Amino acid sequence: MTRRARRRRRRLLAGGGAVLAGLAVGLALGLFGKFGDVIQELTLPLRHEDIIRQQAQEKDVDAALIAAVIYAESKFDDRTSSAGARGLMQITPEAAQDIERHSGGTTFELGDLSDPEINIRYGTFLLHELLDRYDGDRVAALAAYNAGPANAERWGGSELSVDGIPFPETRAYVEDVLDKRRAYRQKYGEELGY
């Protein structure tokens, strides 16, 4: 083999190696990208963002807060709790009937709480009412959403701090929702309309 042929062969091998390396990197990025999507779906899922955006705008409630409450309540999985709360935002039948009365509805049926649109609409209505009640204070509104307004009032109402919540479960709930709210704003800003 001549010197010229050896050089040519090395260039071809180097070029082929570069192509193979590029393919390997592309494949790895593709797999990691899909793996990252799977991890994100497990750790911070988002569904029904169109309904969340619409309700956030209609009721003037932060879309990321709505998503974070859904995550904390059901992880975006339609379910019924042992206390009878139903759907994505875990609305009790009593709360749903009260919301329907206050929002002008007249056709509520218990099965409606399994409909994501109705459940998110009712849950956002409740969040809006609680935020209004507590002068926009998220901590108090979330404590009331989780443990009831009577408890939130007893703990300090609109002056409530996370540290002032004596129920460990409710304190953890409020902390989790506030953390997830930040995460939803960061990871899903475009999807949630920011």
Side-chain angles (χ1 to χ4, degrees), residues 164-183:
I165 301 171
F167 291 177
E169 178 186 322
T170 301
R171 187 178 328 109
Y173 174 87
V174 171
E175 289 173 337
D176 185 47
V177 171
L178 294 174
D179 286 344
K180 291 295 189 267
R181 176 186 168 269
R182 284 186 285 277

Side-chain angles (χ1 to χ4, degrees), residues 8-18:
R8 190 169 188 232
R9 184 174 175 195
R10 272 185 271 171
R11 274 188 264 151
L12 284 173
L13 287 174

Side-chain angles (χ1 to χ4, degrees), residues 40-143:
Q40 185 163 314
E41 176 62 24
L42 293 174
T43 60
L44 198 68
L46 179 65
R47 294 184 197 89
H48 312 296
E49 55 269 26
D50 53 336
I51 300 168
I52 293 170
R53 276 192 319 271
Q54 187 267 333
Q55 286 302 305
Q57 185 175 12
E58 183 179 303
K59 295 182 175 67
D60 194 29
V61 175
D62 180 20
L65 183 64
I66 298 167
V69 168
I70 294 171
Y71 179 85
E73 293 291 340
S74 69
K75 299 205 176 11
F76 285 86
D77 183 30
D78 181 26
R79 56 178 71 166
T80 301
S81 76
S82 58
R86 299 181 79 172
L88 299 173
M89 295 187 79
Q90 291 293 282
I91 308 295
T92 64
E94 298 79 24
Q97 289 168 344
D98 190 51
I99 291 166
E100 183 182 34
R101 265 194 310 280
H102 286 91
S103 64
T106 59
T107 61
F108 172 75
E109 294 179 19
L110 188 56
D112 291 345
L113 291 177
S114 292
D115 180 327
E117 184 174 352
I118 292 172
N119 196 280
I120 294 170
R121 184 172 1 125
Y122 281 23
T124 305
F125 180 91
L126 182 56
L127 273 176
H128 174 78
E129 292 292 309
L130 292 171
L131 286 163
D132 275 357
R133 181 177 186 160
Y134 298 110
D135 303 319
D137 186 84
R138 288 187 197 106
V139 171
L142 292 170

Side-chain angles (χ1 to χ4, degrees), residues 144-155:
Y145 195 97
N146 180 260
N151 285 319
E153 293 288 336
R154 193 169 41 253
W155 300 334

Side-chain angles (χ1 to χ4, degrees), residues 7 21 34 68 156 163 167 171 194:
R7 254 190 273 150
K34 296 228 186 280
D163 293 333
F167 291 177
R171 187 178 328 109
Y194 297 109

